[in-house]
Amino acid sequence: DDVTETNTWKNISVYIIGERFARGLDLPEVGNVIMLAPPSSAAGYAHMAGRTGRSGREGTAITLVRPRNTEVQRLAAIAETLGLKFQEELSEEEDEDEVVEPVQAA
């Protein structure tokens, strides 16, 4: 498909980006950010989660974490650094590889 002038960032409803590309994006209508893993730093988390809830709007940031990995510790360190509290939601399966979705509490 040809890219036209009407096909801009603001006309797209789903964005798939990495931590590096979240910096500097100004998308005021974004209501949800889903991170497939915790970013590498607290600053990276702030940039990714900060894409939602802009200009006084409500927003949700969800971070998917594998419990048998260092991701849990990394997210805990990010939360401590930024003074965040998370709500943990486990998948319904009783598998050792359950997905944990810490959600930033309002």
Side-chain angles (χ1 to χ4, degrees):
D1 294 347
D2 291 332
V3 176
T4 65
E5 290 182 30
T6 59
N7 188 14
T8 65
W9 282 89
K10 294 183 180 185
N11 293 340
I12 300 170
S13 59
V14 175
Y15 306 94
I16 300 172
I17 58 172
E19 178 181 352
R20 191 171 91 173
F21 298 105
R23 295 174 185 235
L25 279 181
D26 185 23
L27 304 167
E29 301 294 322
V30 172
N32 299 291
V33 169
I34 300 172
M35 293 175 251
L36 300 180
S40 60
S41 67
Y45 182 89
H47 285 290
M48 294 287 286
R51 300 307 96 202
T52 185
R54 313 231 343 141
S55 303
R57 291 184 175 90
E58 297 267 331
T60 301
I62 298 172
T63 306
L64 304 179
V65 178
R66 293 176 291 185
R68 296 186 67 192
N69 193 308
T70 60
E71 294 174 356
V72 173
Q73 292 82 8
R74 187 172 27 169
L75 187 59
I78 288 170
E80 184 175 335
T81 299
L82 296 176
L84 301 174
K85 294 181 181 179
F86 290 95
Q87 171 186 335
E88 185 177 291
E89 294 187 17
L90 299 174
S91 67
E92 291 185 21
E93 296 177 12
E94 294 296 327
D95 190 322
E96 289 184 11
D97 292 325
E98 292 182 60
V99 175
V100 179
E101 300 177 5
V103 179
Q104 183 174 343

